[in-house]
Amino acid sequence: MIHQFKIKIVLALILVSSAMQAQHSLPVYLDDNQLIEARVEDALSQMTLEEKVAMVHAQSKFSSAGVRRLGIPENWMTDGPHGIRAEVLWDEWDQAGWTNDSCMAFPALTCLAATWNPEMAALYGKSIGEEARYRNKNVLLGPGVNIYRTPLNGRNFEYMGEDPFLASCMVVPYIQGVQKNGVAACVKHYALNNQEVDRNFVDVHVDDRTLYEIYLPAFKAAVTEGNAWAIMGAYNRFDGQWACQNERLLKTILRDEWKFDGVVVSDWGGVNDTKEAIYNGLDMEFGTWTDGLTSGVSNAYDNYYLADPFLKLLRSGAVKEEEVDKKVRNILRLVFRTTMNRSRPFGSFSTPEHSEAGRRIAEEGMVLLKNDRQVLPINLIAAKKIAVIGENAIKMMTIGGGSSSLKARYEQSPLDGIKQRIGSQAEIVYARGYVGEVSAKQDGLASGQDLSDDRTPAALTAEAVQVAKSADYVIFIGGLNKHEGQDCEGADRASLGLPYRQDQLIQALAKANKNLVVILISGNAVAMPWVKEVPAILEAWYSGSEAGNALARVLMGDVNPSGKLPFTFPVQLMDVGAHSVGDYPETATKDETYKEGLFVGYRWADQQKIQPLFPFGHGLSYTTFAYGKATTDKKTLSGTDVIKISVPVKNTGKRAGAEIVQVYVSDLEASLPRPVKELKGFQKVWLNPGEEKTVTITLDKNALSFFDDKRHEWVVEPGQFEALIGSSSANIQGKVTFEWK
Ligand code: GLC
């Protein structure tokens, strides 16, 4: 009530001041937020009950009602985190068949995270926000920041890895970039949606320390630092309540603790109860009774939980009007921040600038995992014949994968990118090697590729080996794809291994040619039984429209790879906490307790003293770097002190490159169990050959704190700490100790 009273005062001031301005020049300045709040209250005060209820639920697949009578526009949502989804029919998942909605497909968010470069996240957000704006959408359903808990999760490719600090640092600039376009970022899927198996029913249980230290931080950063204007509830349950109507998540944490003033949107079909949706903090219901997500009556939007059932309760007085007013205020605030923000830019769509942005992010995100004998970059002077082998060299990857599927204006395949880059400098011979999926289609959109090939695996292997034997280099391009059971929404992978007998093929190629380079196109870790037989391995991710171009430039050395892994590559599934103790995928009662607790990813490997295949934060370069002695500006700190960790880094190789210096904090005297070390700072530094720079990373008390679930607050305990400086989580280059008093 106070809030409304204040706003009424403000409104009165506006009226008075405008009258006064007629006589005197006594302006009353209201800041942008106050103006928006005044407009919100003004609009709300003129809306009917029916208009309010119409606003809180979908009217079509991706839109909700405005108030035409008052000139308040509809809200239009669009997937997804990697590009702007093609227009669909009003009430269908199928394409609307427009001819002007072919977008730029940006790299998957695992690739963005692998850049470890917040500037790339800002460029990404700006670019995709321009595309959403141009397509006249005011809410982008992305980015996703669910933590990488198991390498089997079908949607990990849409997220930013296993570490909450890295995900937090990368999600904030993305959101800010999107919202500068007057488009709301809708960070998702809040929260604990870390698998696709039974995503609509699994009931996740996790202790508060793990919740606050691992699974919430990236969402908190999105809200409190990124100022996200929207957030999407997840499908799963958390402690017995669906996330889209979970009082603890949506009211206690999101509103009370984080002071979120944006809109809570359900996932499509994520609402399951009217009363809980009314009272537990949901603002907009989408996708219910939507074919494909939940069964039920035809798509009569009046049947939605927050439609007629809600209106009936309001009309009867069983529910007070203030309940719908709370929701409508948040939605009107969204409208005035976006569609009715008269100074927002016009956007742009599938432009050369967006192509360049996509290519730069892809190039910076690719991770050179291994490079024995410096097989890479390819020496085009020596190479007369290059064999390119594997289905992922030719397969389109922008279609499929679920809601992040795109109708890209173009997608350059790795093979085409390599051919275009090499031209006549060498002969390129392609062999299929294996047959995985012969076509890709989703929501009525097809890749148009028919990769059918009825040869037997033996014949395919024989051809590939034959081609490999006579080549100077063999580039095998395989990995996963966007089909169900691979990197795709709605299901998880069945195993850690590569599908389609790729392991056997890779081993045969390794015998046929010592200059074998394995390129993985994937969004998840995979097992590599052949890792010792292959001299060079590159993780190229799903890199979008510019995939072929970016990969070719990295392989030929036009670009020096500088990406680092945003998640651990385990040797085997049992090396992962979720699989060895953690209840994944769920119990018979659909319950799943994250028994591994805080110990996710490298935190688990450290605690269990497990050697990963490739560790979190790992990534090589075509040059080499040497770290000098790490120093600090103080040995003890307390209160609001910060500590500066400095370390000289020198490029000791022959070509320019970038190194990502990582700082992990180890609490040597914690009263509660803590991971051996945790990422709390990083910086990417570009160096020319022979150049040395001192990298300084500042840590404050937050970097030393842990969440004390008994006191329900972040605490830092007096005692000794170590800052470990690493070129990866497993390759520590130096350490310093200091004391918190
Ligand atoms: C999907 C996804 C969500 C997406 C939404 C709309 O089921 O979980 O990420 O934005 O529905 O397509």
Side-chain angles (χ1 to χ4, degrees):
M1 290 308 281
I2 299 287
H3 178 83
Q4 283 175 295
F5 179 70
K6 267 195 229 163
I7 292 297
K8 289 205 181 336
I9 293 290
V10 164
L11 275 175
L13 276 173
I14 294 172
L15 296 174
V16 166
S17 75
S18 53
M20 286 171 67
Q21 276 171 2
Q23 295 143 16
H24 311 290
S25 58
L26 280 179
V28 173
Y29 289 116
L30 300 169
D31 69 34
D32 290 351
N33 289 333
Q34 286 169 323
L35 265 180
I36 284 181
E37 295 312 308
R39 297 174 76 185
V40 166
E41 292 307 320
D42 175 51
L44 183 69
S45 67
Q46 301 182 54
M47 288 170 68
T48 66
L49 191 64
E50 289 70 19
E51 287 165 341
K52 293 175 184 178
V53 171
M55 195 175 260
V56 302
H57 63 84
Q59 66 175 2
S60 76
K61 268 293 173 288
F62 286 97
S63 74
S64 59
V67 186
R68 186 188 299 269
R69 183 177 61 84
L70 298 174
I72 294 171
E74 299 167 333
N75 283 295
W76 278 88
M77 321 312 211
T78 181
D79 285 317
H82 308 149
I84 306 309
R85 184 171 185 160
E87 200 68 20
V88 296
L89 293 169
W90 181 260
D91 192 23
E92 304 292 335
W93 291 109
D94 271 354
Q95 305 300 302
W98 286 13
T99 55
N100 60 354
D101 58 354
S102 298
C103 68
M104 173 67 196
F106 295 98
L109 292 194
T110 39
C111 181
L112 172 62
T115 67
W116 290 57
N117 184 350
E119 289 174 19
M120 286 295 111
L123 175 64
Y124 198 126
K126 171 182 179 296
S127 306
I128 196 172
E130 287 168 345
E131 300 239 339
R133 172 69 191 95
Y134 190 88
R135 288 269 281 105
N136 219 9
K137 310 296 182 183
N138 68 314
V139 181
L140 174 70
L141 301 174
V145 289
N146 293 99
I147 289 294
Y148 186 110
R149 175 177 179 250
T150 162
L152 302 188
N153 177 10
R155 289 189 88 172
N156 278 330
F157 73 99
E158 288 188 49
Y159 305 145
M160 295 189 182
E162 72 187 31
D163 183 85
F165 182 83
L166 176 63
S168 300
C169 293
M170 298 301 285
V171 73
V172 169
Y174 178 113
I175 289 171
Q176 292 167 337
V178 169
Q179 297 187 162
K180 279 193 187 117
N181 289 281
V183 173
C186 182
V187 63
K188 67 188 186 182
H189 304 86
Y190 179 65
L192 298 162
N193 183 183
N194 306 100
Q195 67 190 54
E196 290 298 292
V197 170
D198 237 351
R199 64 179 181 169
N200 298 79
F201 295 102
V202 66
D203 189 356
V204 175
H205 309 286
V206 67
D207 63 273
D208 269 14
R209 283 199 66 206
T210 303
L211 179 66
Y212 277 79
E213 292 192 31
I214 301 294
Y215 294 102
L216 290 181
F219 288 104
K220 181 178 180 183
V223 167
T224 59
E225 298 168 49
N227 187 31
W229 292 337
I231 192 167
M232 182 189 292
Y235 280 128
N236 51 283
R237 285 175 286 174
F238 166 47
D239 284 349
Q241 253 185 1
W242 271 286
C244 291
Q245 50 207 61
N246 189 294
E247 183 171 14
R248 178 141 190 243
L249 289 176
L250 301 184
K251 294 179 80 172
T252 310
I253 295 172
L254 185 61
R255 299 285 181 190
D256 299 346
E257 292 182 12
W258 299 348
K259 309 300 177 207
F260 178 64
D261 70 354
V263 172
V264 177
V265 179
S266 77
D267 199 339
W268 267 237
V271 179
N272 296 275
D273 176 85
T274 291
K275 284 280 181 71
E276 286 196 353
I278 292 170
Y279 289 107
N280 290 354
L282 181 72
D283 295 316
M284 299 180 93
E285 174 187 4
F286 275 87
T288 304
W289 309 137
T290 296
D291 59 321
L293 282 185
T294 57
S295 62
V297 294
S298 67
N299 290 332
Y301 292 94
D302 296 342
N303 294 322
Y304 273 41
Y305 293 101
L306 288 184
D308 284 358
F310 189 15
L311 185 57
K312 222 160 85 186
L313 291 168
L314 287 162
R315 281 181 177 150
S316 70
V319 172
K320 291 195 179 71
E321 187 159 355
E322 70 184 50
E323 294 307 329
V324 71
D325 287 354
K326 286 176 201 166
K327 301 177 194 302
V328 173
R329 271 198 187 88
N330 293 328
I331 299 167
L332 288 170
R333 192 171 302 118
L334 169 73
V335 169
F336 290 124
R337 283 171 163 166
T338 57
T339 322
M340 292 184 80
N341 161 9
R342 286 164 298 183
S343 57
R344 66 181 183 149
F346 292 104
S348 57
F349 196 63
S350 199
T351 59
E353 290 77 13
H354 293 170
S355 292
E356 192 203 349
R359 196 200 76 244
R360 285 179 58 200
I361 294 160
E363 287 169 353
E364 257 202 63
M366 290 184 184
V367 182
L368 183 58
L369 296 175
K370 187 180 177 189
N371 193 23
D372 290 356
R373 294 187 284 108
Q374 298 299 307
V375 168
L376 288 175
I378 285 174
N379 176 348
L380 277 177
I381 296 165
K384 293 293 162 261
K385 186 173 177 184
I386 296 174
V388 178
I389 296 168
E391 183 172 281
N392 282 1
I394 59 174
K395 182 175 176 54
M396 275 184 79
M397 294 290 186
T398 51
I399 288 182
S403 56
S404 61
S405 176
L406 296 171
K407 177 165 86 171
R409 184 164 66 82
Y410 69 96
E411 177 185 355
Q412 187 180 50
S413 72
L415 179 60
D416 287 347
I418 291 167
K419 281 180 175 173
Q420 181 180 319
R421 171 61 185 76
I422 290 180
S424 57
Q425 297 178 77
E427 180 194 1
I428 294 171
V429 181
Y430 175 70
R432 180 70 173 271
Y434 68 91
V435 176
E437 307 293 340
V438 296
S439 66
K441 52 179 176 298
Q442 183 178 314
D443 305 330
L445 204 57
S447 63
Q449 291 185 311
D450 176 358
L451 304 179
S452 309
D453 188 326
D454 54 12
R455 287 178 290 172
T456 63
L460 288 159
T461 302
E463 177 202 40
V465 166
Q466 191 54 40
V467 165
K469 275 182 178 156
S470 59
D472 298 301
Y473 284 92
V474 177
I475 304 174
F476 173 80
I477 304 180
L480 305 175
N481 57 44
K482 298 285 191 70
H483 287 256
E484 189 168 335
Q486 301 291 332
D487 287 323
C488 182
E489 175 178 342
D492 283 354
R493 293 197 292 149
S495 72
L496 187 63
L498 285 172
Y500 319 125
R501 297 170 37 82
Q502 291 177 72
D503 290 337
Q504 293 84 333
L505 174 59
I506 290 168
Q507 282 160 332
L509 294 174
K511 291 190 178 72
N513 192 312
K514 65 179 176 37
N515 282 345
L516 171 61
V517 179
V518 169
I519 310 292
L520 294 173
I521 309 281
S522 68
N524 251 315
V526 295
M528 301 182 199
W530 34 264
V531 67
K532 290 190 171 59
E533 302 152 60
V534 174
I537 306 168
L538 180 86
E539 173 61 63
W541 311 113
Y542 296 111
S543 305
S545 295
E546 283 287 315
N549 197 3
L551 177 61
R553 284 163 53 84
V554 168
L555 289 175
M556 303 309 148
D558 304 337
V559 170
N560 188 354
S562 63
K564 301 250 183 193
L565 289 178
F567 52 76
T568 305
F569 271 59
V571 171
Q572 56 185 351
L573 269 187
M574 289 316 282
D575 290 352
V576 176
H579 293 266
S580 56
V581 298
D583 248 6
Y584 174 86
E586 65 193 354
T587 63
T589 59
K590 306 285 182 205
D591 288 292
E592 182 169 356
T593 302
Y594 289 6
K595 292 176 188 154
E596 76 282 3
L598 299 165
F599 303 96
V600 176
Y602 68 89
R603 291 171 167 85
W604 177 260
D606 285 347
Q607 186 203 49
Q608 301 293 318
K609 297 185 174 42
I610 293 170
Q611 180 73 30
L613 178 62
F614 293 107
F616 172 83
H618 170 74
L620 302 176
S621 169
Y622 292 152
T623 187
T624 51
F625 299 98
Y627 284 66
K629 184 169 172 32
T631 57
T632 66
D633 65 340
K634 52 176 74 75
K635 293 304 279 179
T636 60
L637 63 156
S638 62
T640 56
D641 290 347
V642 297
I643 185 168
K644 295 182 186 303
I645 317 280
S646 296
V647 61
V649 181
K650 183 173 184 176
N651 179 340
T652 50
K654 297 186 175 57
R655 51 177 301 148
E659 170 67 326
I660 298 164
V661 177
Q662 302 155 47
V663 172
Y664 296 84
V665 168
S666 183
D667 185 346
L668 302 179
E669 299 176 49
S671 63
L672 292 175
R674 293 195 71 177
V676 168
K677 63 178 184 292
E678 299 183 282
L679 181 73
K680 296 295 179 184
F682 62 87
Q683 191 175 322
K684 194 163 196 173
V685 59
W686 278 260
L687 296 165
N688 291 315
E691 185 181 13
E692 180 177 88
K693 281 181 188 168
T694 295
V695 171
T696 298
I697 289 170
T698 301
L699 302 177
D700 62 10
K701 73 185 289 187
N702 295 328
L704 314 181
S705 303
F706 64 85
F707 187 77
D708 182 327
D709 49 341
K710 302 282 179 296
R711 296 162 52 180
H712 196 76
E713 60 179 352
W714 288 87
V715 298
V716 52
E717 291 176 331
Q720 291 293 318
F721 286 83
E722 252 179 9
L724 300 104
I725 293 89
S727 51
S728 83
S729 61
N731 198 349
I732 300 304
Q733 304 284 344
K735 63 172 89 168
V736 292
T737 54
F738 55 92
E739 185 182 8
W740 176 267
K741 279 218 175 292

